[in-house]
């Protein structure tokens, strides 16, 4: 668990205030909001949560209808809808707190209040049924069957799909999630020689995103369906080892490995040091010229930074407070 | 009728008066020790306390005015007694006595006992060691704290440094998951006896461990008693009550005895099964009384991951002269039975007020290693049991249990995920005051139950029979006074089966290949 970096967070807050975020750029928006959700979880700083909620409210009306037209067959809809699940959970927590505080007086009325974010998630989750797939059943991003797109597409879609199934779907389609991941893993295995080929640099980027997808999907799966949980963990370890063997470096990878250590998918002793060093070097650079980074570079840095702040103890007794 | 010595320690003995009844004797009787009247009993299995070490004893009994045979034995040698008060335990119900009792246990030499005298000892987790007798005196209560922070955690999996092996400590509902350590916990220990007239009280309520019971907070709920990879463990005489979750959970252990144990949890408590042997071998449950909020005895062998990796079924288990009441199932097999269950014999027992007598819970997805074979019930009296026999191959109370794959009644291809049931046998059973159905047996259409025998069975229904749901599966609606409802069976044997007072057909059979009937 690293200490909070006041300089970096000052720059992050400045960024959030000063820059304009374009609603139509869904992938970028989702990346930024996802990183801020992690930062909120790690710091409990309301500024990050408030920013996320303000952005979410630009997409979802108070009645739960969706005020945006997503591009057809683009998996980024699921990337963003995972942010809406955060909003849904927050709404439920606040509702539960109000019910507890009411001491029974208005609890029945409070319980009846509909969660608009949940309604929006349910609407958008319908797209899972119509998303086009490869012959082997993998969700395709805009009908691309390119391996790099299938790996990156897994990052956009499967954490949401699993999160949705765990919270709202009754775990009915866990089998579909793991069946897709099984197929993506086959694609990865067939192509992974490209990790060490400089001319295929984007494959290493996509493989890092795939590692993130695996650990993020595992994190939101029910441990009680252990076969699925453990299979995701096993694939994650394979991909991480391949990335390390190919000497790939990057903040997505740092995030994935640090998270893997926290969730006990990896030995912290064996894996964390290199990634922390990469992250700290990146933070040092960012302290100097954060403003020059693209939105997605900023988001990735924040994501990895937030992960490094998380209580490294898996059993987090702060949860009880 | 014969008097037999079941077991003894340095300070106690257990006797059995055979052919005198089921759990309770038909009349009370007197017990004589070395010629003096020692006690009166109304149970077939009786514990005698207050004996001294390394001493010859002669015991006899007088039943209905007649003396039965005399048994002779010598109590065990005892080296020293370690009184936990001498180790700093207060026993005042306030002070944390965990360390003092743990110190006494760790200091205990071979052939000795740790003695817990009368008093209330507040503890979190106590860990057993090999070659130990833990003796809880009458009025001694090991009373558990209920704050999560006070309990250590048993990690589910710890990976080896070379990342090739793993070490499993914690277990939750068939999977290797992080679990708070049990109140009494044994890891890789052998030759342990927990004995006496005292109590282990989990002190659980709906404000602590039973609040949001399906939610993992830090780790999963503790058991009251958990042993992992242990051998030669005996629990005798004590009362265990108000457990945070499953009460007694032996796990990957063998040569286990539970004799004259009293297991008591409120009828409305969550998942407080009485005894759940999981992937265990050679288990004797004798003269034990169980009244709980879930299944009285639930026999298990893990979910898919553990079953595939270790392939250890629960086998060679005997349950005899026990009384089960106020649970969901008296004896349940499942639902976590992915490594199978074989050679389980339940005899001379009393089932009262449970929802079901035998309850088999399985489902597609448990896997091909999940083979249930040679499960036999004999000489059982059931009273006020809602449905005496339930075999459910579509059990849906799992995180992913309500899927089409689990629930469909259409035959699916037999593959690595398909469980099987080979032989179930029920003989000499009297079930009075039944409510929902006499039996509700469902095999899988693609993998039928191979052999199901009912022999000398008498069913009689309650006059004011209540309706209920026989099995936790999709499509099983509330019903009342049904007879034998059976489906998906290869060979069904019905010999001398009497069904009195059911409504509708006495036997409703669907997709049964062969029925042998007298």
């Amino acid at each position: 668990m690293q200490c909070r970096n006041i300089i970096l967070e000052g720059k992050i807050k400045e960024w959030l205030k000063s820059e304009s975020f374009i609603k139509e750029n869904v992938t970028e928006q989702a990346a930024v909001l996802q990183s801020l959700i992690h930062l909120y979880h790690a710091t409990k700083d309301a500024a990050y949560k408030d920013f996320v909620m303000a952005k979410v409210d630009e997409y979802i009306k108070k009645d739960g209808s969706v005020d945006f037209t997503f591009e057809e067959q683009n998996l980024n809809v699921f990337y963003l809808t995972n942010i809406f699940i955060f909003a849904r959970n927050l709404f439920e927590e606040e509702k539960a707190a109000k019910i507890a505080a009411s001491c029974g007086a208005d609890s029945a009325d409070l319980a009846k209040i509909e969660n608009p974010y949940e309604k929006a998630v349910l609407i958008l989750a319908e797209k899972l049924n119509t998303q086009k797939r490869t012959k082997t059943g993998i969700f395709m991003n805009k009908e691309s069957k390119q391996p790099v797109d299938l790996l990156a597409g897994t990052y956009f879609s499967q954490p949401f799909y699993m999160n949705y199934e765990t919270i709202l779907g009754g775990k009915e389609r866990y089998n579909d999630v793991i069946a897709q991941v099984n197929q993506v893993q086959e694609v990865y295995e067939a192509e992974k020689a490209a990790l060490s080929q400089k001319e295929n640099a984007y494959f290493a980027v996509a493989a890092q995103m795939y590692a993130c997808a695996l650990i993020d999907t595992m994190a939101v799966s029910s441990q009680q369906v252990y076969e699925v949980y453990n299979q995701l963990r096993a694939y994650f370890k394979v991909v991480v080892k391949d990335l390390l063997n190919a000497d790939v470096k990057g903040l997505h990878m740092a995030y994935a490995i640090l998270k893997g250590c926290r969730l006990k998918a990896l030995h912290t002793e064996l894996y964390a040091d290199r990634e922390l060093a990469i992250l700290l070097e990146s933070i040092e650079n960012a302290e100097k010229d954060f403003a020059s980074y693209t939105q997605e570079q900023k988001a990735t840095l924040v994501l990895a930074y937030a992960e490094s702040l998380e209580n490294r103890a898996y059993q987090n007794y702060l949860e009880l407070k | 009728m014969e008097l037999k010595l079941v077991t003894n320690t340095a300070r106690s003995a257990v006797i059995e008066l055979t052919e005198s009844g089921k759990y309770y004797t038909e009349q009370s009787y007197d017990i004589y020790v070395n010629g003096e009247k020692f006690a009166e009993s109304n149970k077939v299995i009786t514990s005698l306390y207050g004996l001294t070490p390394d001493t010859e004893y002669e015991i006899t009994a007088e039943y209905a005015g007649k003396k039965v045979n005399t048994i002779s034995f010598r109590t065990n040698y005892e080296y020293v007694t370690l009184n936990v008060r001498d180790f700093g335990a207060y026993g005042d119900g306030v002070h944390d006595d965990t360390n003092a009792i743990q110190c006494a246990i760790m200091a205990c030499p071979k052939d000795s006992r740790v003695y817990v005298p009368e008093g209330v000892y507040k503890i979190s987790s106590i860990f057993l060691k090999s070659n130990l007798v833990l003796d809880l005196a009458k009025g001694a209560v090991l009373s558990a704290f209920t704050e999560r922070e006070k309990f250590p955690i048993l990690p589910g999996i710890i990976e080896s440094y070379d990342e090739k092996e793993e070490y499993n400590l914690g277990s939750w509902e068939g999977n290797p998951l992080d679990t708070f350590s049990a109140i009494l916990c044994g890891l890789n220990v052998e030759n342990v006896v927990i004995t006496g007239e005292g109590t282990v009280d989990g002190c659980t309520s709906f404000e602590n461990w039973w609040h949001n019971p399906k939610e993992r907070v830090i780790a999963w709920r503790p058991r009251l008693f958990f042993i992992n990879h242990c051998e030669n463990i005996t629990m005798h005489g004590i009362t265990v009550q108000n457990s945070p979750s499953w009460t007694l959970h032996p796990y990957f252990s063998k040569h286990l005895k539970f004799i004259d144990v009293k297991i008591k949890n409120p009828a409305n408590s969550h998942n407080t099964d009485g005894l759940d042997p999981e992937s265990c071998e050679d288990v004797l449950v004798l003269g034990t009384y169980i009244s709980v909020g879930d299944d009285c005895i639930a026999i298990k062998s893990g979910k898919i991951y553990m079953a595939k990796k270790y392939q250890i079924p629960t086998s060679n288990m005997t349950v005899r002269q026990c009384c089960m009441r106020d649970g969901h199932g008296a004896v349940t097999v499942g639902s976590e039975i992915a490594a199978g269950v074989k050679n389980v014999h339940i005899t001379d027992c009393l089932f009262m007020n449970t929802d079901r007598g035998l309850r088999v819970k399985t489902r597609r997805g448990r896997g091909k290693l999940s083979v249930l074979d040679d499960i036999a019930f004999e000489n059982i009296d059931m009273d006020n049991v809602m449905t005496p026999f339930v075999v459910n191959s579509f059990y849906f109370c799992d995180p992913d249990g309500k899927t089409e794959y689990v629930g469909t009644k259409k035959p699916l291809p037999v593959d690595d995920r398909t469980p099987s049931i080979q032989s179930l046998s029920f003989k000499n059973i009297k079930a009075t005051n039944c409510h929902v159905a006499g039996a509700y047996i469902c095999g899988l259409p693609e993998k039928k139950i191979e052999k199901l025998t009912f022999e000398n069975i008498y069913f009689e229904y309650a006059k004011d029979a209540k309706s209920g749901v026989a099995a936790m599966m999709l499509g099983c609606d509330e019903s009342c006074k049904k007879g034998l409802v059976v489906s998906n069976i290869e060979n069904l044997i019905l010999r001398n089966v009497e069904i009195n007072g059911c409504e509708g057909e006495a036997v409703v059979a669907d997709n049964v290949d062969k029925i042998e009937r007298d």
Side-chain angles (χ1 to χ4, degrees):
Chain A
M1 182 174 169
Q2 298 294 299
C3 293
R4 289 178 73 176
N5 182 321
I6 298 168
I7 298 170
L8 180 66
E9 286 198 44
K11 289 180 185 294
I12 293 167
K13 285 179 179 168
E14 208 173 290
W15 164 49
L16 300 180
K17 275 184 199 157
S18 62
E19 284 204 39
S20 58
F21 293 86
I22 301 161
K23 189 178 172 184
E24 281 69 26
N25 194 344
V26 173
T27 306
E28 187 182 278
Q29 287 276 77
V32 170
L33 298 180
Q34 183 202 36
S35 69
L36 292 173
I37 288 170
H38 276 74
L39 195 49
Y40 167 66
H41 280 308
T43 63
K44 301 291 176 231
D45 188 330
Y48 305 124
K49 177 193 73 175
D50 293 344
F51 182 89
V52 172
M53 291 308 293
K55 290 291 166 197
V56 168
D57 287 340
E58 288 179 15
Y59 292 95
I60 298 173
K61 292 182 186 170
K62 284 187 178 163
D63 65 357
S65 57
V66 180
D67 190 15
F68 188 74
T69 306
F70 287 91
E71 185 184 3
E72 282 299 312
Q73 297 300 321
N74 192 326
L75 288 174
N76 63 16
V77 62
F78 302 128
Y79 194 20
L80 191 64
T81 309
N82 215 8
I83 310 300
F84 301 159
I85 290 186
F86 165 78
R88 176 263 173 208
N89 292 345
L90 209 58
F91 190 92
E92 288 299 308
E93 282 169 24
E94 286 169 3
K95 191 162 90 176
K98 281 179 194 165
I99 290 170
S102 75
C103 298
D106 308 312
S107 58
D109 290 339
L110 286 167
K112 282 181 198 161
I113 296 173
E114 279 197 353
N115 186 331
Y117 306 108
E118 181 169 311
K119 197 174 164 188
V121 169
L122 291 171
I123 293 166
L124 293 169
E126 286 294 311
K127 291 181 181 287
L128 290 166
N129 301 324
T130 54
Q131 188 68 32
K132 290 197 176 157
R133 298 176 182 233
T134 63
K135 279 183 185 167
T136 56
I138 305 168
F139 286 149
M140 288 188 292
N141 191 35
K142 293 189 282 188
E143 303 190 27
S144 168
K145 294 174 190 167
Q146 292 300 313
V148 288
D149 290 335
L150 294 176
L151 296 180
T154 304
Y155 180 57
F156 295 148
S157 59
Q158 298 304 336
F160 162 70
Y161 195 5
M162 184 64 94
N163 202 10
Y164 173 80
E165 282 301 311
T166 301
I167 295 171
L168 296 167
K171 306 177 184 75
E172 287 261 353
R173 293 182 290 184
Y174 266 38
N175 283 345
D176 185 30
V177 176
I178 198 65
Q180 289 199 49
V181 175
N182 286 339
Q183 294 303 324
V184 175
Q185 185 69 18
E186 284 197 14
V187 171
Y188 166 79
E189 291 287 347
E191 300 289 330
K192 73 181 184 185
L195 276 176
S196 48
Q197 296 163 356
K198 285 187 180 166
E199 64 275 20
N200 279 323
Y202 191 65
F203 186 84
V205 174
Q208 287 187 67
M209 291 172 81
Y210 179 48
C212 293
L214 291 167
I215 198 67
D216 285 352
T217 307
M218 189 195 98
V220 293
S221 69
S222 166
Q223 291 185 348
Q224 289 181 279
V225 187
Y226 195 78
E227 310 80 78
V228 169
Y229 180 85
N230 192 56
Q231 189 62 68
L232 291 165
R233 174 177 168 272
Y235 288 152
F236 172 68
K237 284 192 71 169
V238 168
V239 177
V240 163
K241 282 179 184 238
D242 290 341
L243 287 166
L244 289 170
N245 287 338
D247 201 25
V248 173
K249 291 183 179 128
L251 287 173
H252 270 117
M253 186 174 165
Y255 160 76
I257 290 179
L258 291 175
K259 187 168 183 175
C261 292
R262 177 165 60 85
L263 298 182
K264 297 204 296 191
L266 297 171
H267 271 303
T268 301
E269 181 189 1
L270 297 177
Y271 290 89
D273 287 353
R274 189 193 93 134
E275 307 313 311
L276 271 177
I278 290 168
L279 173 64
L280 291 175
E281 190 184 331
S282 301
I283 290 172
E284 208 177 306
N285 293 335
E287 283 172 4
K288 293 171 201 152
D289 60 353
F290 187 68
S292 70
Y293 286 25
T294 65
Q295 302 284 55
E296 286 192 35
Q297 284 172 326
K298 285 173 183 165
T300 311
L301 178 72
V302 172
L303 189 67
Y305 165 67
E307 182 52 49
S308 76
L309 298 180
E310 288 274 10
N311 188 348
R312 307 311 300 164
Y314 175 67
Q315 312 295 358
N316 186 356
Y317 280 86
L318 295 172
E319 282 176 30
L320 292 179
K321 305 299 174 195
Chain B
M1 186 176 291
E2 188 185 356
L3 193 65
K4 287 184 172 174
L5 178 71
V6 173
T7 189
N8 69 274
T9 66
R11 303 278 182 167
S12 65
V14 182
I15 56 170
E16 176 177 6
L17 190 62
T18 65
E19 294 174 39
S20 59
K22 293 184 182 80
Y23 185 75
Y24 295 111
T25 51
E26 284 160 21
Q27 325 182 359
S28 60
Y29 62 101
D30 296 328
I31 298 164
Y32 294 84
V33 174
N34 292 345
E36 299 285 324
K37 185 175 170 184
F38 190 83
E40 191 177 304
S41 176
N42 65 347
K43 294 197 298 180
V44 175
I45 304 294
T46 302
S47 298
L48 306 174
Y49 299 98
L51 308 184
T52 52
D54 211 11
T55 306
E56 293 287 346
Y57 283 97
E58 283 195 341
I59 298 180
T60 189
E62 189 175 307
Y63 186 91
K66 286 184 185 170
K67 288 266 183 181
V68 297
N69 61 302
T70 300
I71 49 174
S72 303
F73 68 97
R74 189 176 188 87
T75 49
N76 297 350
Y77 165 76
E78 180 183 291
Y79 172 42
V80 287
T81 287
L82 307 185
N83 186 325
V84 296
R85 298 259 184 176
D86 295 338
F87 286 75
Y90 284 45
D92 62 357
V94 178
H95 182 260
D96 186 345
D97 289 328
T98 309
N99 272 347
I101 296 173
Q102 189 66 62
C103 180
I105 287 172
M106 298 315 291
C108 187
K110 205 176 173 199
D111 296 326
S112 300
R113 69 168 176 160
V114 170
Y115 180 62
V116 184
E118 183 180 353
V120 178
Y121 301 83
K122 293 304 291 184
I123 59 166
S124 50
S125 273
I126 296 285
F127 289 82
L128 306 170
K129 69 179 268 293
S130 292
N131 304 311
L132 170 75
V133 175
L134 177 62
D135 188 349
L136 307 182
K138 191 171 187 177
V141 181
L142 296 181
S143 170
F145 290 109
T146 55
E147 295 89 344
R148 279 177 164 74
E149 300 93 312
K150 290 187 190 290
F151 282 77
I153 290 165
L154 296 180
I157 294 276
I158 299 169
E159 197 175 45
S160 64
Y161 184 76
D162 64 8
E163 303 178 83
K164 290 177 183 164
E165 309 277 339
E166 56 189 36
Y167 182 43
N168 161 228
L169 286 170
S171 169
W172 181 255
E173 295 186 347
N175 286 319
L177 299 176
D178 297 358
T179 313
F180 285 108
S181 171
I183 296 159
L184 283 182
C185 188
L187 304 170
N188 306 299
V189 299
E190 57 187 23
N191 307 324
V192 173
V193 177
I194 301 163
T195 182
E197 296 175 88
T199 299
V200 182
D201 189 345
C203 298
T204 312
S205 75
F206 291 92
E207 286 165 7
N208 45 65
W209 297 114
W210 296 334
H211 177 69
N212 286 340
K214 292 291 180 189
E215 204 176 301
R216 171 186 170 277
V217 181
I218 305 293
W220 295 99
R221 284 181 279 161
R223 313 302 189 196
L224 188 142
F225 173 78
F226 177 66
I227 50 173
N228 182 345
H229 286 87
C230 295
E231 286 188 33
N232 299 325
I233 310 293
T234 297
M235 180 179 280
H236 157 235
I238 66 168
T239 298
V240 290
Q241 63 191 29
N242 302 314
S243 176
S245 61
W246 296 349
T247 312
L248 309 177
H249 183 198
Y251 181 68
F252 288 91
S253 296
K254 51 188 163 185
H255 313 312
L256 313 174
K257 291 177 182 169
F258 299 89
I259 301 171
D260 191 20
V261 178
K262 279 72 73 176
I263 305 172
K264 299 174 183 174
N265 298 315
N268 61 346
S269 54
H270 294 294
N271 317 106
T272 55
D273 289 357
L275 168 63
D276 292 29
E278 183 169 1
S279 297
C280 289
E281 186 188 337
D282 182 20
V283 183
L284 172 67
V285 188
L286 182 65
T288 286
Y289 174 90
I290 309 175
S291 176
V292 294
D294 204 326
D295 295 323
C296 294
I297 291 177
I299 303 165
K300 298 172 186 286
S301 59
K303 285 187 179 166
I304 289 284
Y305 178 80
M306 294 303 285
K308 268 191 181 166
K309 194 166 178 72
Y310 299 103
Q311 304 192 10
I312 298 182
T314 287
S315 60
N316 303 331
M317 178 167 174
T318 301
V319 179
R320 208 161 58 74
Q321 292 292 355
C322 292
C323 176
M324 287 78 155
R325 60 187 298 168
D326 299 324
H328 291 173
V331 176
T332 293
V333 179
S335 72
E336 302 89 348
I337 43 171
V341 173
K342 61 183 180 184
N343 304 335
V344 174
H345 297 168
I346 321 293
T347 58
D348 302 302
C349 288
L350 205 54
F351 299 169
M352 297 153 73
N353 310 332
T354 56
D355 293 344
R356 300 161 189 93
L358 162 75
R359 183 186 193 196
V360 173
K361 303 187 287 191
T362 188
R363 46 160 281 198
R364 292 187 185 101
R366 282 290 179 258
K368 66 178 178 183
L369 295 170
S370 182
V371 178
L372 308 187
D373 192 22
D374 188 15
I375 295 169
F377 283 59
E378 200 165 339
N379 300 332
I380 311 282
D381 285 354
M382 302 193 206
D383 186 39
N384 205 31
V385 172
M386 302 289 277
T387 310
F389 304 102
V390 176
V391 177
N392 177 0
S393 300
F394 302 91
Y395 184 66
F396 65 36
C397 300
D398 249 347
D400 58 346
K402 289 181 180 163
T403 55
E404 173 71 10
Y405 171 70
V406 173
T408 184
K409 303 298 183 300
K410 292 176 190 162
L412 296 180
V414 174
D415 59 23
D416 284 354
R417 298 177 296 171
T418 314
S420 62
I421 299 174
Q422 293 182 347
S423 166
L424 301 175
S425 163
F426 310 119
K427 288 183 185 171
N428 305 333
I429 290 169
K430 185 178 170 191
T432 53
N433 294 307
C434 305
H435 292 261
V436 178
Y440 194 92
I441 314 281
C442 289
L444 286 173
E446 66 271 24
K447 192 80 178 171
K448 294 175 184 173
I449 297 168
E450 290 180 18
K451 186 178 176 189
L452 173 63
T453 306
F454 286 98
E455 189 173 335
N456 300 331
I457 313 282
Y458 177 80
F459 293 107
E460 186 183 274
Y461 293 78
K463 283 180 185 154
D464 56 344
K466 298 177 190 117
S467 62
V469 176
M472 309 296 277
M473 60 187 269
L474 297 171
C476 180
D477 299 325
E478 268 203 17
S479 58
C480 188
K481 288 191 172 184
K482 296 274 187 193
L484 266 58
V485 182
V486 294
S487 60
N488 301 323
I489 295 163
E490 282 183 16
N491 189 6
L492 172 64
I493 299 164
L494 301 172
R495 289 196 193 109
N496 189 27
V497 176
E498 191 178 337
I499 303 169
N500 278 337
C502 77
E503 290 175 357
E505 291 287 321
V507 179
V508 179
D510 179 31
N511 204 17
V512 177
D513 295 347
K514 182 180 166 194
I515 302 181
E516 290 178 34
R517 202 171 177 178
D518 54 15

